[in-house]
Amino acid sequence: MPRKRTRRNEPIELPILAVRDTVLFPHMVAPLFVARDRSLRALDEAMARDRTIVVIAQKDPSQQEITPDDLHAIGTEAAIGRILKMPDGTVSILVQGQRRLQLTEVLQEDPYLKGLLLPVYEAAQKKTLQLEALMRAVLALFEKCVKLSKSLPEDVYIAAMNVDEPGWLADLIASSLDLNLDQRQDVLATLDPTKRLQKISIILAKELEVLELQNKIHSQVQQEVDKNQREFFLREQMKAIQKELGDLDVQTREMEELKKRVSEANLPEAACKKAEEEIQRLAIMPQASPEVSVIRTYLDWLIKLPWTAETPDNLDISQAARTLEENHYGLPKVKERILEFMAVRRLAKEKLRSPILCFMGPPGVGKTSLGRSISQALGRKFLRVSLGGIRDEAEIRGHRRTYVGALPGRVLQTMRNAGTINPVFMLDEIDKVGTDFRGDPSSALLEVLDPEQNFSFSDHYLEVPYDLSKVLFIATCNILDTIPPALRDRMEVIELPGYIEVEKLHIAERFLVPKQLQENGLGPDQLRVTRGALMRLIREYTREAGVRNLEREIGNICRKVARQVVEGKRHPGRITERAVPDFLGPLKFYWGIAEEKDEIGTATGVVWTWVGGDTISVEVTLMKGKGQLTLTGQLGDVMKESAQAALSYARSRADQLGVKANVFEKTDIHIHVPAGAIPKDGPSAGITMATALISALTNRPVRREVAMTGEITLRGRVLPIGGLKEKVLAAHRAGIKTFVLPRKNQKDLVDVPADVKRELSFIFVEEMEEVLNNALLDSQPKEKPATPRGD
Ligand code: ADP
């Protein structure tokens, strides 16, 4: 295109073409639409002269009529190429940018804009290393952009590669990128080529980041789409294969069946959602996968657990009272408490939180059978779980499904058997729960028992919360001491202390004998057990606080009789006192006073063990030696300490007792408590040990019909002890006549049945001296001493 030559830095006069939507760069070719009147005239003028015009962008693209102020200062000289006239009077032209021009003055506004412009020459740049590096960096960035971008053709990059001048390169890249008008004008107005290229490099870096991000998003979307398509495809394929193999019908039928069962099971929302998810997983799983059976078992659990089914409570108090009376002898306090509980429940209806009852007492006193009666009275299901020896939290709360063979914990396993959400749930032996590295089961139990938490009990296997709040929990224990305090606080403890002989007799007559007859297939008229026989069973064949062994012995007799009946042998219709050994062999316990005669160095004490109260005899022997004390018979720490205290008391009172002081240095003392297999502990054998010891030291025999209990202090005071009722019952059971006990325990005798009180004489003491006065006879110098005395 021809162009009028001007000399350097000489201003030139040119018609101005104001453009709204583009910025023309030097060397670039661009199509322009010309529509405005003044622009058309400027075009005419340029065509009339040398086809040269200056293209200047206007500051505000939306402005229709412009003044000189509305134009940017830097524009581009353009050579006009092809011109196309449109039917609507507008014109489309093709222009090629030449060089930058700076608008110095607007000479006229009408009929077209004309200005005086100064050419901007770009001095040939010296290619410094820096500049070279910049150019290469820009080119590299541009190459990446071209590769990532969909709109940049590869040709532009090739063109850019062949440009040598930094300013030109910047212009080329700026014109090819999709920049906004301000950015383009900014590049155009940056006259220094190096600076312009730097700007481009910043723009390119940003552009690249955007492009990379776009690409990433795009590929993610693509992946997702691909995955879905792939899954769909595979599933279809699998169906086809299964169809070929004839499996499809079975599997789809099973899925349908499962869905139906889930919808019928009335699951709460969370469980229902979980079940549906699992069914979904199952549907796409190959039949042979080991996961299939895991999911099936899991779904089976979800479906079979009771979620809403409930039995209506029978709150008829008088009927409940009758049920309890029919099943249980005695225990008035316990029965009263149960009926109160039902009464409150009847008044409060739904709002009430179930209290957690805890039955405490020795084995065989009827804790379990009481629980059963409560469920019967309320019309609820009865469940029982033994917690004895549990050390692993997972036993309560289950294993996560990731474990092979995982199952829910015992609580939910038991609930499944119940089939209703409001059974009576008995937690047996809650005092025997242990703790070790496998977690603390009692913390899981806390969650089971705490009314604040147990509406959403979490089992590791089940994964969805389970509501235990409607369950009536009853715990049982032998002792309270080993139950963690947090757990103990949540329970209302009801004590069942054990029975006396008369009570046992009544229980045997009214409940145990009829029950055993029935269990062994005998009619009531086929066998009668006389009172005398029962009494003998109680005294000579059992020694317990409850009636479990008694029931077992009655069962033994019934079985033997049943066999005789079946074998057609003659059998006694009546079991008398004398006939008992024929059935059960020789007696197992000597009833009555433990000792045959008044002995030196042996005293009878009453202590408390986990099977209830029990009598013990403490033996002391003295041997020549160096003053050593030996203790045997599985004594606990506290009991050992009481032995030490007893010894110190005896030493400190040696003078008063008539024992020479040097005896203690020359004698070894051995204290033994027989029945060594049963662990014994507690301070209540203190005065017994002191009595036996002093008897041995002073050669005074102990009166055989006396038993005693009480803690001893170093100064010889007798302190009160716990579990008195149990101990009195045990002394009574053993046939003791005189019972020495701490004065401070006198008040506890109110709990002891009158029958027992009548048969025992109680001596209340405060000082050890009183014990000795009552228990020891005078010394027997004539008899050869059983133990060495001091010389
Ligand atoms: P625990 O759970 O305290 O060890 P169980 O409930 O197993 O005791 O009782 C043992 C047996 O003694 C059961 O057959 C029970 O029916 C019977 N039994 C215990 N106490 C009584 C009682 N007061 N009346 C009737 N039967 C009783």
Side-chain angles (χ1 to χ4, degrees):
M1 273 178 263
R3 185 148 58 102
K4 191 179 134 194
R5 294 264 148 221
T6 48
R7 264 191 284 139
R8 270 181 168 242
N9 284 339
E10 199 177 298
I12 47 172
E13 243 183 72
L14 278 178
I16 298 174
L17 179 61
V19 287
R20 297 202 267 197
D21 52 2
T22 187
V23 172
L24 182 68
F25 286 98
H27 306 290
M28 308 303 144
V29 177
L32 296 175
F33 288 94
V34 187
R36 283 178 284 187
D37 221 27
R38 284 194 289 178
S39 301
L40 286 169
R41 284 178 196 229
L43 191 61
D44 284 346
E45 171 66 19
M47 292 306 286
R49 288 164 58 171
D50 56 357
R51 300 178 79 104
T52 306
I53 200 165
V54 58
V55 177
I56 304 181
Q58 61 188 65
K59 290 177 186 163
D60 178 3
S62 62
Q63 209 149 359
Q64 185 70 17
E65 292 302 322
I66 52 162
T67 61
D69 287 344
D70 297 327
L71 290 173
H72 281 295
I74 304 286
T76 309
E77 187 185 38
I80 302 165
R82 190 201 62 199
I83 296 190
L84 279 179
K85 287 209 163 81
M86 297 292 167
D88 59 357
T90 60
V91 170
S92 159
I93 58 172
L94 201 64
V95 291
Q96 183 179 29
Q98 303 293 328
R99 51 184 177 169
R100 284 176 170 74
L101 294 177
Q102 183 161 20
L103 181 63
T104 51
E105 196 185 341
V106 175
L107 299 175
Q108 69 171 50
E109 290 185 44
D110 284 309
Y112 59 89
L113 281 163
K114 185 156 89 179
L116 201 61
L117 300 119
L118 206 60
V120 179
Y121 286 100
E122 278 172 26
Q125 294 272 317
K126 216 177 115 213
K127 276 271 182 72
T128 58
L129 274 180
Q130 249 169 341
L131 191 61
E132 182 71 35
L134 180 62
M135 283 180 72
R136 279 199 205 166
V138 166
L139 264 179
L141 280 173
F142 190 49
E143 185 187 7
K144 281 189 192 159
C145 286
V146 170
K147 277 198 180 137
L148 285 177
S149 161
K150 295 228 161 46
S151 54
L152 287 175
E154 183 117 2
D155 299 353
V156 199
Y157 172 65
I158 294 169
M161 253 172 53
N162 288 302
V163 173
D164 243 2
E165 283 175 43
W168 188 352
L169 180 64
D171 288 346
L172 175 66
I173 294 178
S175 73
S176 60
L177 289 178
D178 187 19
L179 304 180
N180 63 33
L181 283 180
D182 287 343
Q183 280 175 313
R184 283 172 159 256
Q185 183 64 38
D186 183 40
V187 174
L188 187 73
T190 308
L191 302 181
D192 179 53
T194 313
K195 280 203 184 121
R196 197 186 309 150
L197 198 57
Q198 278 166 345
K199 261 189 192 158
I200 288 295
S201 111
I202 293 170
I203 291 174
L204 273 177
K206 272 194 200 147
E207 184 73 15
L208 188 62
E209 220 168 286
V210 173
L211 280 171
E212 272 172 353
L213 211 61
Q214 263 178 356
N215 250 40
K216 198 167 148 196
I217 294 170
H218 182 254
S219 69
Q220 272 171 354
V221 171
Q222 193 59 38
Q223 264 176 11
E224 198 55 36
V225 171
D226 286 353
K227 194 174 140 219
N228 287 346
Q229 272 178 347
R230 194 168 152 264
E231 264 180 26
F232 173 77
F233 180 69
L234 286 176
R235 222 171 291 162
E236 288 302 305
Q237 230 176 10
M238 195 164 68
K239 272 190 201 162
I241 294 170
Q242 280 168 341
K243 198 169 184 177
E244 277 306 304
L245 293 172
D247 276 1
L248 182 68
D249 288 347
V250 179
Q251 204 191 355
T252 34
R253 230 181 298 134
E254 195 195 331
M255 292 304 133
E256 292 306 313
E257 181 71 15
L258 274 174
K259 277 185 197 156
K260 200 167 129 228
R261 281 174 68 198
V262 167
S263 69
E264 280 169 3
N266 234 343
L267 303 183
E269 204 184 318
C272 191
K273 209 165 141 236
K274 184 85 196 160
E276 276 163 12
E277 275 171 26
E278 295 294 321
I279 293 180
Q280 207 65 39
R281 275 182 62 201
L282 198 58
I284 58 169
M285 203 159 274
Q287 288 293 82
S289 160
E291 268 282 287
V292 167
S293 78
V294 175
I295 298 181
R296 277 218 198 101
T297 321
Y298 177 76
L299 279 169
D300 205 47
W301 271 102
L302 272 188
I303 294 167
K304 290 224 175 110
L305 268 176
W307 295 93
T308 45
E310 210 172 326
T311 46
D313 271 353
N314 168 23
L315 297 174
D316 181 343
I317 308 287
S318 52
Q319 198 206 321
R322 237 175 295 133
T323 310
L324 289 177
E325 217 49 60
E326 272 165 24
N327 295 345
H328 286 272
Y329 172 84
L331 306 173
K333 274 193 191 168
V334 183
K335 288 178 184 163
E336 224 167 82
R337 178 64 193 91
I338 293 165
L339 295 176
E340 279 165 20
F341 159 74
M342 289 174 70
V344 173
R345 190 144 193 111
R346 185 165 163 173
L347 289 181
K349 301 252 163 51
E350 282 304 301
K351 283 163 273 164
L352 194 77
R353 285 198 192 123
S354 294
I356 287 129
L357 300 177
C358 176
F359 293 155
M360 182 188 82
V365 290
K367 301 183 292 294
T368 315
S369 52
L370 260 180
R372 218 179 274 279
S373 305
I374 295 176
S375 73
Q376 199 184 333
L378 284 169
R380 293 187 179 200
K381 288 259 173 75
F382 180 75
L383 305 168
R384 197 176 149 212
V385 140
S386 176
L387 302 176
I390 286 189
R391 292 180 178 282
D392 189 351
E393 193 192 349
E395 293 254 18
I396 310 270
R397 220 196 261 291
H399 284 287
R400 290 184 198 288
R401 256 198 297 160
T402 40
Y403 287 92
V404 176
L407 277 181
R410 291 201 196 182
V411 175
L412 289 194
Q413 292 196 18
T414 318
M415 285 306 288
R416 172 167 157 167
N417 294 339
T420 59
I421 56 162
N422 64 340
V424 172
F425 197 129
M426 188 156 245
L427 299 161
D428 259 344
E429 304 194 300
I430 203 162
D431 52 339
K432 311 258 178 349
V433 172
T435 307
D436 68 7
F437 63 96
R438 283 165 291 188
D440 182 2
S442 60
S443 70
L445 273 181
L446 212 58
E447 202 181 305
V448 172
L449 295 179
D450 187 355
E452 302 289 335
Q453 308 181 40
N454 69 6
F455 60 88
S456 69
F457 172 67
S458 66
D459 185 278
H460 288 326
Y461 178 81
L462 201 65
E463 292 172 12
V464 283
Y466 187 81
D467 184 3
L468 287 173
S469 63
K470 297 227 162 106
V471 178
L472 173 61
F473 285 104
I474 300 177
T476 77
C477 64
N478 296 135
I479 42 170
L480 275 185
D481 304 358
T482 54
I483 306 177
L487 210 53
R488 209 183 319 160
D489 284 351
R490 286 189 173 56
M491 305 191 293
E492 185 177 328
V493 178
I494 297 179
E495 278 184 54
L496 291 106
Y499 301 114
I500 57 171
E501 275 174 3
V502 195
E503 287 174 326
K504 286 186 187 174
L505 195 63
H506 285 304
I507 294 174
E509 281 184 329
R510 280 180 50 195
F511 299 96
L512 306 182
V513 174
K515 190 169 147 200
Q516 287 304 322
L517 285 179
Q518 201 192 358
E519 276 184 15
N520 290 290
L522 294 169
D525 41 339
Q526 274 175 304
L527 185 68
R528 242 174 55 76
V529 186
T530 63
R531 276 200 161 193
L534 287 176
M535 211 56 202
R536 202 157 176 200
L537 288 183
I538 293 168
R539 289 183 167 176
E540 294 176 3
Y541 287 83
T542 61
R543 180 174 265 184
E544 57 181 349
V547 293
R548 192 173 284 171
N549 289 327
L550 178 59
E551 184 173 13
R552 197 171 297 143
E553 298 297 351
I554 295 173
N556 276 343
I557 293 179
C558 291
R559 260 199 314 282
K560 294 210 159 83
V561 172
R563 185 170 160 198
Q564 290 174 345
V565 171
V566 173
E567 287 175 353
K569 288 187 188 158
R570 257 176 55 90
H571 66 89
R574 225 163 65 102
I575 306 281
T576 57
E577 196 177 335
R578 284 195 23 221
V580 173
D582 298 343
F583 285 90
L584 300 178
L587 75 172
K588 295 180 181 165
F589 301 96
Y590 283 99
W591 184 79
I593 303 160
E595 309 298 335
E596 302 267 298
K597 56 185 173 95
D598 303 332
E599 292 256 17
I600 293 170
T602 305
T604 308
V606 185
V607 294
W608 209 86
T609 65
W610 64 274
V611 290
D614 205 355
T615 52
I616 53 164
S617 62
V618 175
E619 298 174 353
V620 176
T621 41
L622 306 180
M623 298 153 282
K624 277 213 168 76
K626 291 182 190 143
Q628 259 185 359
L629 175 65
T630 313
L631 300 166
T632 51
Q634 274 220 56
L635 312 188
D637 288 343
V638 180
M639 205 178 247
K640 283 184 187 158
E641 283 168 12
S642 340
Q644 292 279 5
L647 177 60
S648 299
Y649 166 78
R651 286 185 77 162
S652 68
R653 297 289 166 104
D655 268 359
Q656 276 155 285
L657 296 169
V659 180
K660 290 204 172 145
N662 62 359
V663 170
F664 294 99
E665 281 126 50
K666 293 184 180 170
T667 315
D668 281 349
I669 300 171
H670 185 166
I671 302 183
H672 178 62
V673 185
I678 304 170
K680 314 159 195 80
D681 203 1
S684 57
I687 60 170
T688 322
M689 290 198 272
T691 306
L693 180 63
I694 292 166
S695 154
L697 288 166
T698 58
N699 215 19
R700 290 170 68 186
V702 183
R703 287 168 56 198
R704 63 190 187 116
E705 77 275 14
V706 174
M708 58 192 82
T709 186
E711 182 175 352
I712 186 174
T713 71
L714 287 178
R715 291 164 187 276
R717 290 192 61 77
V718 179
L719 300 185
I721 41 77
L724 184 85
K725 185 178 175 192
E726 315 251 327
K727 287 176 183 161
V728 174
L729 294 186
H732 181 254
R733 253 197 318 274
I736 300 285
K737 292 278 174 295
T738 310
F739 196 11
V740 177
L741 56 158
R743 179 164 300 284
K744 291 229 167 89
N745 279 120
Q746 193 172 3
K747 60 178 182 352
D748 302 327
L749 280 187
V750 288
D751 288 342
V752 177
D755 290 357
V756 177
K757 279 198 265 194
R758 222 174 297 129
E759 290 175 29
L760 272 173
S761 73
F762 296 99
I763 298 173
F764 299 103
V765 294
E766 283 176 348
E767 301 288 338
M768 190 62 211
E769 262 170 35
E770 298 170 66
V771 180
L772 298 177
N773 291 343
N774 283 293
L776 296 187
L777 297 167
D778 287 338
S779 62
Q780 298 182 325
K782 272 175 259 159
E783 261 186 43
K784 208 169 171 240
T787 51
R789 299 188 63 199
D791 40 345

